[in-house]
Each structure stands twice: as C-alpha cells, then as structure tokens.
Amino acid sequence: MPDAWVSVSLTSLALLAGLVLLAASVNMFGLSKRWDPSLKHCFVTGGSSGAGLALAKLLAQNGAHVSIVARDQAKLNKALEELEAARQNPQQVFRAYSFSVNTEAGSAAAIEAASEPFDGRCPDAFFLCAGASRPGFFVEQTEESLRTGMEQTYYAQAFTALAASKTMVQQGVKGKIVFCSSILGYFSMVGYSTYSPGKFAIRGLAETLQSEFMLYGIDVHVAFPGTIYSPGYSEENRVKPKVTLKIEETDEGATPEVVAKIILDGVRSGKFHITVDFIGNVFRSSTAGSTERNSYALDWVHGLIGYIALPIWRNSVDSTVLKHREEHEAYLRERGLRS
Amino acid sequence: MPSIWTSLASLALIPALFLVATRILSFKTRWDPCLKHCFVTGGSSGAGLALATLLAQNGAHVSIVARDKAKLQKALEVLETVRHNPQQIFRAYSFAVNTEQGSVAAIGAASEPFDGHCPDAYFLCAGASRPGFFVEQTEESLKAGMESTYYAQAFSALAATKAMVQQGVKGKVVFCSSILGYFSMVGYSTYSPGKFALRGLAETLQSEFMLYGIDVHIAFPGTIYSPGYEEENRCKPKITLKIEETDDGAQPEVVAKVILDGVRSGKFHISVDFIGHVFRTSTAGSSERNSYLLDWVHAVVGYIGLPTWRKMWVDNLVVKHRDEHEGYLRERGLCSVE
C-alpha cells in the first residue's frame, strides 16, 4: 500500500514541477515592467458614461492625457469637467470629441481630431468601451434587431480598432488596444441573442490581433466584466425577459469605478484577458483554450473549480428555463407567435 | 493518508455522478433522419453537399439551398444517385439566405411539397473565408466577413426558429462554426469574429430553445479540402500558411459523417478530430458537455499542449516574420517609419 502512495506522490511532484517550469516559460511578462499611463495619450470611446467614464477618470488620476469620444455633446462636456477634477499635473491634456465611432470613417476622424493637440501623433492606448445591450427572446427579433445588436457590441469597437491599428502601424507607435467584451462573451443563455454573438466576436477579434500584433509590438487586452451598475444596465433591464431576470436574481454587479480599477490594473500588469471577479476568473480559466494565460499555475485552480461547479450552476439555469415553458407558451400565443 | 489528488479526484466524481444520473433519467434516443425533412444551406458544395448526400443516404427528405442554379442542379443529381427509397423528396432552391427575407422565402418554398409543414432539421453550412492582414482590411471587408460567416447562418436560424415555434415543430438547428471559433491567430480578423459569434448565438439558443423542445448543435471543423479552401488559400497571408503547414485537413465526406453522427447522438458541440476535441474541452466553460469524464482527459492534454504549441510554434513564427512584414508594409505605404 505505501508503494502506491509513493508512486502517486512522486507522479504528482513531477507533474507539479512540469507545470511550474511551463508556467515560468510561458509567463515571462510577469517579470516585465508595469505599464505607466502617466503622460501617455489615452483614447477612450464610450467615455462619457458608465465604465468608459470611470476608466477615463482613473487614467486622468494616473497622470495620463485623456481624449474621450462619444456622441452626446452635453454628456461629453459634463465628463470633461469630471476629468478636470481628477487632474494630477498641468501638463495633462484633456479633450472630449463628439463622433460616431461605429464606422471606420467616424473612428478615423475621431482619432485624427484627438491627434491634433499632439502634432498629429496618434494616441498611445485605445480603450474601446462603446457598447449597449437590448436583450429579448430570439423569436421576437428581426434581421434589423440582430444587425443592430452586432452594431452595438462588435462594430462599435471593431472599426475603432481598425482605424487605431492602421494609424499606430503607420506611425510606428507601439501602443495598446483594450477591448471591452463581457462575461457573456464566455458563455450565453436565454435572452441574449442580440448581445452575446457580438461579445463573442470581440473575443474572436482580440484573439486574432493578440497574435497578429506581435508583428508590430502592439499589445492587445480584452476585458470580460459581468453586471455593471451603470445607466446602460438600467436601460437593459427594461426590455430583458422575465426568465432572464429570474436567472440573474442572485448575480452581484459592480460599480463602474470598481470595474475600471480592475481593468486598468490588468492592462498595467500586461494581462491579455482581464476578468473582474471570482466568477469571471472561473469562466476565463475554463474557456481559455490556447489563449495566452496570465497565471498558468493559478488558472489550474480556477479551472478545476469551474469543471466541478459550472455544470451544476448550468443545470439550475436550465431548470429555471424549463419551468418557464408554460408561461412562455401563453406569452407566444398572446403575440401570435404560436398557432 | 489520501493524497490531495485523490481528494480532488473524488470531488470531481460528485458532479460526474450527478450528470450521469441526470443523463440516464433523460436518455435521448439516437435521432433518425429517415423521412425527416432536412434543410441544408450551402448545400451545393463542400461540407454542405456532403451532409446533404449523407442525409439522403440515411433516408431523409432533403432540400438544398444555395445561390448558383447550375451547382444546385448538379448537386440534386448527386442526391438522386444515393436515393434510399421512392418516398424521399429531394429539392434544390436558389435563394440568398443572408437576409431574413431570403431565408423565410427559402423555407416557405421548401415547405410547399409538405403542405406547408416546415423542415424538421436545419443544417446551416453556408459560409466563406477570405483571410488577410488586419491593417489591409476596411469597414467593408470586415462587414463582408461578418456577412459570410455569421449572418449567412443567423438569419436562416431566425427564420427557421419562427417557423418551428409557430408550427410547434420540435426540430433541430445545426450551425457550422470552425475551430477558428475556439481560437484565432494572425490573418483571420475577417473570419474568426463571425465564427466566434456563431458560438455565441448557439450558446444562447441552446438555453433558450429549452422553451420549445428544439435542439441546437454546432460543429467546429478544422481545414476541409473543399473548393472553398482553395479560394481561401489564394489570399491567405504567407505567415498564416506557414503556421498551418503541419495541419491535416479532412475530406468533406469525413467531416459530414462526424457532424451527422454528432447530431444523431445529441451532441451540442461537435468537434471533428483530436485537436478539435482538445480545443472543445479546453474552452467549454459552462457549455453542455457530451462526455464529462472523457473531457477531463482531453482538457489535461490541452492545458499542457496548447500553450506549448501556441508559444513555441505560432507566436515564434509570427515574431520571426516581423522583418519580412515590415518590408511588406513599406511596399504598400502602410508604414512611414524609417
């Protein structure tokens, strides 16, 4: 009997040693310097509210030049005032620009405008926080609403990334692009057919660029926050199906400031995927595949927890959906969606 | 004195037994395509045609949808050669399915021989790939990429769902994503986002369709040796081709067989080869798993093998390509730096 334990222990030790060596070799940027936003020019889309504004303020507090971009001029003016309140030193340049960034032309124009105070030099870091969510049942969607969903999630960030990349490559700027996906870019469930596809697509783009930008020395980051208590969230809940709200009953959200702090911290420590809470870490580790990991050895723990806990949680989600069948049948009949 | 490994292994047994128990209680019988009406988009070539042919061999009614009438005619002839019994209905319809309207019209037409009863299973194989460097893309090309990967299937799924829910048909929707819906790399900015988006939609619907008793499946094949693949390689960046040098592809018939088998055994995610299984199990998250216990093995292989492959092969080759790529950029005026 003792021999068996010796074998098991030795094998475990060997495995552990192997993992540690692998971790050391794949996690080299754990030793690299922390990125400092001070006097870097940070370009923030969706920067007039929610997590985007919180990030913009945090960057200002850390000494960065900040250009915020959104549509609403009034909100932008108010946001600019908040940036001023966070000013650290007189050199910092704070600007607000009203542009629609969900086209390449709009994004390119916004970046050009933002580059003017810097003699045409483009921003160093692009925080792409533009996005919105309008959940609903799939059978109630139309081509138009599905396209709008993709516009508001994926295109809202993809074309800015495109314009930013071309400019940085043209000028030889070894900058950063930070995408904002969502925990609904790691998994999905009832009600999110207009939202998850675009958030998954952002991950797909980030994965491509993280590889491709090794050609340019440009870093890519992508954040996957859960619920953020922002104006956007209240909007979202107005149209969200009851069954989705029920499933999310036990969810805890976070304030934009907390989310912004974790995202900036993740960018500063060079993390590719940035998750915001425990459940985010579990999803990140359980869906990583070949994605560059931040902490190879620790991910294993989160991954194991996920392997055990996620199917159990999922089962309860499925259960809630199944219980909703009858009520949903009546809902369909009322709307003429079921004969 | 039990080691920590034994304890952890025991802990993992709890959900395993739980899942096995719930599976046994809701044991699914193998789905039989015989005399079911199967609607196949992208059905005139490649994996779509191979699937349509296989379904015909298995006794199904088959409606194939694509754009090119000549290809559709040829495909219909292929279906006839594998006719299993005289009752089977084979039809080919020329429609563009990348709009809801086009998809609705196609389904409407396909339902006619069945007194308006909509198809039972929708195999959405429409899709194309045009790789290239991100800095050479435009808003137009990124949108075209999303059209030919995501929208090409999403609107068919939308039309199919509305028809099935309206008529109370407890059918199936089968999406075709790609292994590039599990990971991505240099050259695929017009392709991966849409393939990831398909997964996002499938994950939503797999949950939502529990309201209707409609099954959702999604396949993640790697390289398929089809006409589409040759098109793709014509514009693929050299560096991407180099990284893919060691890849083995599969014939459309082989891929179709694995996909149909997965649909018949009720698998949600359907991967086509060993590397596909490794990616599937390493990215599963909360997705419904087919084989909870076996997945663990593939996942451990992935946890060690995937980062190794990624760092030492993929990233390494990209970094080595930097100098050559700088020359490429300058030639095209994409970089002004001396």
Side-chain angles (χ1 to χ4, degrees), chain B residues 239-307:
Chain B
I239 176 66
T240 311
L241 285 166
K242 178 138 190 62
I243 292 168
E244 295 179 344
E245 244 170 31
T246 51
D247 277 2
D248 276 331
Q251 293 298 323
E253 292 70 29
V254 171
V255 174
K257 187 176 186 309
V258 176
I259 293 178
L260 183 55
D261 209 67
V263 172
R264 297 193 67 180
S265 24
K267 290 181 177 174
F268 173 35
H269 280 218
I270 300 167
S271 42
V272 157
D273 52 18
F274 177 71
I275 191 68
H277 303 326
V278 172
F279 269 110
R280 173 177 51 78
T281 51
S282 305
T283 61
S286 64
S287 295
E288 184 177 277
R289 289 179 186 272
N290 311 313
S291 48
Y292 187 78
L293 290 170
L294 272 180
D295 275 9
W296 190 78
V297 178
H298 282 123
V300 169
V301 172
Y303 198 76
I304 297 169
L306 290 177

Side-chain angles (χ1 to χ4, degrees), chain A residues 12 104 138 141 143 147 166 170-171 188-191 208 211-212 216 286 289 296 300 307 328 338-339, chain B residues 5 100 134 137 139 147 162 165-166 184-187 204 207-208 212 282 285 292 296 303 325 336-337:
Chain A
S12 314
E104 189 185 4
F138 189 56
Q141 303 310 318
E143 174 173 334
R147 281 186 187 276
K166 288 180 177 178
Q170 186 67 249
Q171 299 183 9
S188 192
M189 61 178 191
V190 56
T208 311
S211 162
E212 199 161 319
Y216 314 120
S286 305
Y296 187 79
W300 189 79
Y307 196 77
H328 190 64
R338 166 84 93 192
S339 305
Chain B
W5 304 105
E100 188 183 6
F134 190 56
Q137 302 311 316
E139 174 175 331
E147 289 284 334
K162 288 179 178 179
V165 169
Q166 185 66 249
S184 192
M185 61 178 192
V186 55
T204 311
S207 161
E208 199 161 317
Y212 314 121
S282 305
Y292 187 78
W296 190 78
Y303 198 76
H325 189 64
S336 330
V337 178

Side-chain angles (χ1 to χ4, degrees), chain B residues 23 51-52 117 199 217 263 290:
Chain B
R23 283 299 169 102
L51 254 167
H117 191 264
R199 179 183 179 179
H217 307 268
V263 172
N290 311 313

Side-chain angles (χ1 to χ4, degrees), chain B residues 169-201:
Chain B
V169 171
K170 295 192 193 310
K172 286 181 178 294
V173 178
V174 184
F175 292 97
C176 289
S177 178
S178 162
I179 198 150
L180 282 152
Y182 280 142
F183 86 99
S184 192
M185 61 178 192
V186 55
Y188 287 112
S189 54
T190 53
Y191 188 73
S192 272
K195 289 303 190 180
F196 268 74
L198 283 171
R199 179 183 179 179
L201 183 60

